[in-house]
Amino acid sequence: MTVTSTPAPTALITGASRGLGAAIARELAATHELLLGARTADALAPILAELPGATGWPVALTDYPAVATAAESIGRLDVLVHNAGIADLGTVVESSVEQWRSTLEVNLIAVAELTRILLPALRAANGHVVLINSGAGLRANAGWASYAASKFGLRAFADALRLEEPTLRVTSIFPGRIDTDMQRAIVADERRDYRPEEFLTPETVAGAVRTAVDTPRDGHPTEIVLRPR
């Protein structure tokens, strides 16, 4: 009798070089073939050394011709985790047109375009799209207008994609503030002491991604909201 093994599912994680993206990669490494995205190969070197079974996928997500070329070899994709993003904060009066454009470009438009390009591969696998949103995607605070607008838009994109692509699962994850290098920069701008215990750990949020991905196929986890205790 010939026994054929089922290949491991494939997951592409953007922004995987450090912080939350690296934590998600570690969480999925045992069960998935990983494609790890970042802007440069050098940025990916540490996580690829840690997870030698993973494959680097270095491309700037706002370079759309380069993204299309990089995606050509992906014929089937079980999980797409949109984690890459920026937080360039400021009040409305302080925020320039360039800041609004760059925030929306990275946090929303690049997500939509990468998803569009990979839809054939996702459809082939009846795949799962996981979008790392933010508490700012549920409410807007003073000084966070452009960032919140990008995250509100990301939620709308997920809701529309879920309706348009009924063979896919689409999960928006709304974490509170996470203990990462990005968070340290934000707190420094707020001119207060950094206290890691105030924030979620990357591992906790990565665990929520794992929970969504592992949900049996008869269930569709549409939204997960996490807050620091």
Side-chain angles (χ1 to χ4, degrees):
M1 182 176 66
T2 301
V3 178
T4 58
S5 59
T6 302
T10 299
L12 169 59
I13 304 164
T14 67
S17 62
R18 59 194 177 112
L20 177 57
I24 295 169
R26 296 183 191 103
E27 187 69 41
L28 298 183
T31 53
H32 289 71
E33 297 289 337
L34 296 181
L35 297 172
L36 302 183
R39 281 175 288 186
T40 66
D42 287 346
L44 285 166
I47 190 64
L48 291 177
E50 180 184 343
L51 303 175
T55 300
W57 201 72
V59 63
L61 295 176
T62 55
D63 184 345
Y64 302 121
V67 170
T69 298
E72 287 176 353
S73 62
I74 304 174
R76 178 185 175 92
L77 185 62
D78 297 272
V79 179
L80 171 59
V81 181
H82 287 291
N83 171 70
I86 61 172
D88 186 3
L89 306 181
T91 64
V92 171
V93 73
E94 295 167 340
S95 300
S96 66
V97 169
E98 290 74 19
Q99 186 232 25
W100 277 89
R101 283 178 175 158
S102 64
T103 300
L104 292 168
E105 188 81 35
V106 173
N107 291 355
L108 179 58
I109 297 170
V111 170
E113 179 61 1
L114 178 59
T115 305
R116 186 190 69 81
I117 289 170
L118 289 173
L119 272 177
L122 288 161
R123 289 169 178 157
N126 292 329
H128 195 159
V129 180
V130 179
L131 301 105
I132 305 299
N133 201 296
S134 166
L138 299 172
R139 67 189 183 284
N141 293 322
W144 292 63
S146 61
Y147 181 76
S150 72
K151 293 300 188 176
F152 269 69
L154 190 63
R155 182 186 184 187
F157 171 74
D159 291 347
L161 181 67
R162 195 178 298 117
L163 294 172
E164 292 175 9
E165 298 290 334
T167 67
L168 306 184
R169 296 198 294 181
V170 181
T171 303
S172 288
I173 296 183
F174 299 91
R177 295 171 72 160
I178 308 169
D179 178 20
T180 61
D181 291 343
M182 180 185 289
Q183 195 64 240
R184 289 181 180 275
I186 292 171
V187 171
D189 286 343
E190 293 172 338
R191 298 178 181 176
R192 62 189 182 91
D193 292 337
Y194 191 82
R195 297 169 57 85
E197 63 273 17
E198 293 180 0
F199 309 118
L200 294 163
T201 68
E203 291 74 22
T204 293
V205 182
V209 174
R210 161 65 72 185
T211 296
V213 170
D214 284 351
T215 299
R217 289 295 308 184
D218 63 318
H220 191 157
T222 57
E223 294 186 348
I224 298 174
V225 180
L226 288 173
R227 290 289 177 269
R229 290 189 65 182

